[in-house]
Amino acid sequence: MSLPLRKDLDPKLTWDLNLLFKDQESFEKAIVAYQKDLQTISQYQGKLNQEKQLLSMLQLLEKIFAQLTWLNDFGFLGYEVDKNNPVYEENNYKLLAIYDETKKALSFIEVELANLDPNYLQSFVESQSGAAYQRYLDKIYMNRGHVLSLEVESALSSINSQLFNQYRLSNVLKYQDLHFEDFTCRGKTYANTFAGFEGDYEVDLDPELRHAAWDSFHQGLAKYQNTAAHLYISHVQTEKAISKLRGYDSVIDYLLSDQEVSREAYDRQIDVIMTHLAPVMQRYAKLLAAKHGLSKISLADIKIPYSTQEPKKISIQASRQMIQDALSIFGSEYRQIIERAFEERWIDYPMNQSKSTGGFCSTVYQGPSYILLNWTGLLSEVLVLAHELGHAGHFQLSYQYQKATTPEASLYFIEAPSTANEVFMCHYLLSKDLDDEERANLVGEFISRTYFHNMVTHLLEADFQRKVYLAVDCGENLNAQKLNQFFKETLEQFWQEAVEINPGAELTWMRQPHYYMGLYSYTYSAGLTIGTQIGRKIANHDHETIQTWLDVLKAGGSMKPLDLAKAAGVDMSNDQALRDTIAYVDHLLDYLK
């Protein structure tokens, strides 16, 4: 029952990193070429007050940023799928050094730009050659009050990977050291792993197997909770120290500044869901328990599919055809992106030992969009794949129409294109000829995959994370026991009496890497709020919305996140869109009666 080694997989089902560099030698030569370009940018130091020099520097910066995305993906993606490969591990370390070197070499740019005369910068961006760089310059100038001296910025840049090495160390703990004991069920012995638990055991229809796997998994987590807590607390304390150094009263405000999102919008997203979505999901839990004949439902049961039948499997080829057919509604340009993803092997499907869990998409500037999956063959994987292809479509269009120096779309918006695809994809499947039972099962899958995952799992992480940051702002001492307490309180507040909180559930904070990525977790629900409104309109073949949406995707980070949402027709300045989304989920539950 153990997962295969990477070398034993069918290469046709894995991504092709040789689209970036044909071999290791080519990658290493590209590093040398990149470093030469990086060194030349110092010639512009002290000269950015000259329009010609500023333009020339920005053009070189374009090249550097684009090159870096290619090095980045080759350097870290191999490690993401095979953490026991020494070459991939070494490449990952090389990448950390490259980023430190890059941040140090470029540190003078932000310092000088932040201190330039605003009238001069305004004149530059109003010129024909400077207009394309307006968003990049505006974002730096907006944060000018928090930019430090060149000496301090350079010093911080040179040790950035060591200051924020906790995510890397947590992955070493998670994938190389953390061990789960085998467990037995009905006379069979099962090997337990992160990927195996989250992909198979947690959703298995056999309650005895589910609970045995739960116990094994959480007993394994418990053995390493103090080390994991130390890493995470170190990370947030480092963020707090940097935020104070930059003049922020709260680490939350510091992290939100890069997203260009207000504290009000952040708190609203968490508070409205904890208050108004919670009763809806408690209702879902009761419907799920009744469907499966459970006298009580616990967190060890909450991820099971709504259907009591053995989950239907779908082949990779069938899922490809289904997705291509559905997403063709976006037109030829978008369709070509989807076709390339399949034809050029941008997608890594199978689970294997030491591969990262979950899924993500990483796009190279004017290159491939690599998608990591942990394919189980369940129908829900179609929604996962549609989600990640939503990221691919977004960044492919953004990188085609925006310069490499244009900031990426804010994290607040980043999950909107992916979740819009999920919503549309489910409506597409529901439009097929289904009987009541098939429709109920599909809606149950939709709720558990799209809304539970993005608006419950990640939102509970966000509520926990806010507790941690507020404690750090107040100078509280933290440890594993405190983190466990915070997460258990969040679970109890959300589920009330509807769901039993199993022993070990308080350790759920150990399962996600999002805590090391700033205030990322809450943005899933923000993105899904936007995505729900857009996805439903697209499902109704609203061609005006489709064209507007494609234009918004092409805009990338050239607009602030709430402006992007507004341009797409969704007002996120208040809680109405979020309340409408919650009402929509409540309506979906009517199919499950």
Side-chain angles (χ1 to χ4, degrees), residues 165-402:
N165 69 343
Q166 299 89 355
Y167 175 43
R168 174 169 53 85
L169 295 176
S170 73
N171 273 338
V172 172
L173 171 64
K174 181 175 178 180
Y175 295 110
Q176 294 177 249
D177 288 341
L178 187 54
H179 172 73
F180 304 98
E181 296 295 335
D182 294 349
F183 65 93
T184 59
C185 178
R186 305 187 194 283
K188 289 181 65 175
T189 299
Y190 298 82
N192 212 349
T193 63
F194 250 99
F197 178 76
E198 294 187 342
D200 291 323
Y201 303 140
E202 193 173 33
V203 297
D204 197 275
L205 290 178
D206 183 349
E208 186 176 327
L209 187 146
R210 269 199 317 275
H211 284 257
W214 173 282
D215 291 341
S216 163
F217 183 75
H218 290 87
Q219 287 165 11
L221 292 182
K223 293 177 183 177
Y224 296 87
Q225 61 180 303
N226 292 305
T227 300
H230 178 81
L231 289 173
Y232 177 44
I233 294 165
S234 173
H235 177 81
V236 298
Q237 287 175 337
T238 302
E239 288 177 318
K240 177 60 179 177
I242 297 296
S243 71
K244 287 178 65 177
L245 190 63
R246 295 196 178 281
Y248 289 92
D249 294 329
S250 168
V251 66
I252 294 176
D253 294 334
Y254 161 61
L255 295 171
L256 286 174
S257 66
D258 186 60
Q259 294 183 15
E260 298 179 288
V261 174
S262 69
R263 182 73 169 267
E264 178 189 14
Y266 165 73
D267 286 329
R268 179 174 64 235
Q269 197 69 27
I270 297 174
D271 293 338
V272 170
I273 289 179
M274 291 295 289
T275 301
H276 297 286
L277 181 63
V280 175
M281 296 311 296
Q282 291 163 23
R283 179 187 169 205
Y284 167 72
K286 292 173 183 176
L287 288 168
L288 188 63
K291 180 70 173 179
H292 286 265
L294 301 174
S295 59
K296 63 177 180 179
I297 189 166
S298 71
L299 288 176
D301 307 306
I302 201 68
K303 296 289 185 71
I304 57 176
Y306 177 76
S307 174
T308 56
Q309 302 166 0
E310 194 64 33
K312 288 184 178 180
K313 297 281 186 173
I314 185 170
S315 69
I316 290 173
Q317 187 59 39
S319 69
R320 170 181 176 172
Q321 189 61 54
M322 189 181 295
I323 284 175
Q324 286 181 311
D325 289 346
L327 298 185
S328 64
I329 196 172
F330 290 109
S332 60
E333 188 174 23
Y334 197 97
R335 184 175 64 247
Q336 288 171 10
I337 294 169
I338 304 304
E339 289 174 354
R340 288 185 63 201
F342 290 112
E343 291 294 331
E344 298 178 16
R345 285 178 48 207
W346 294 359
I347 306 168
D348 200 272
Y349 291 95
M351 290 187 279
N352 62 262
Q353 292 184 35
S354 75
K355 179 180 181 178
S356 291
T357 56
F360 63 74
C361 177
S362 180
T363 300
V364 170
Y365 188 75
Q366 298 187 348
S369 290
Y370 286 107
I371 292 172
L372 181 141
L373 301 173
N374 278 276
W375 186 264
T376 63
L378 299 176
L379 184 60
S380 59
E381 296 292 345
V382 178
L383 298 178
V384 178
L385 183 51
H387 177 107
E388 299 304 342
L389 285 168
H391 285 307
H394 179 202
F395 279 96
Q396 286 290 320
L397 291 173
S398 174
Y399 284 169
Q400 181 178 343
Y401 288 92
Q402 300 297 327

Side-chain angles (χ1 to χ4, degrees), residues 452-473:
F452 193 105
H453 185 68
N454 295 300
M455 292 191 82
V456 178
T457 298
H458 293 320
L459 198 282
L460 294 179
E461 297 167 5
D463 186 72
F464 159 79
Q465 189 181 36
R466 183 171 62 172
K467 287 184 171 75
V468 173
Y469 282 126
L470 289 174
V472 169
D473 276 342

Side-chain angles (χ1 to χ4, degrees), residues 21 126 148 165 208 232 251 316 403 448 515 570:
F21 301 103
E126 288 176 353
L148 305 172
N165 69 343
E208 186 176 327
Y232 177 44
V251 66
I316 290 173
K403 288 186 172 295
S448 66
Y515 308 123
V570 182

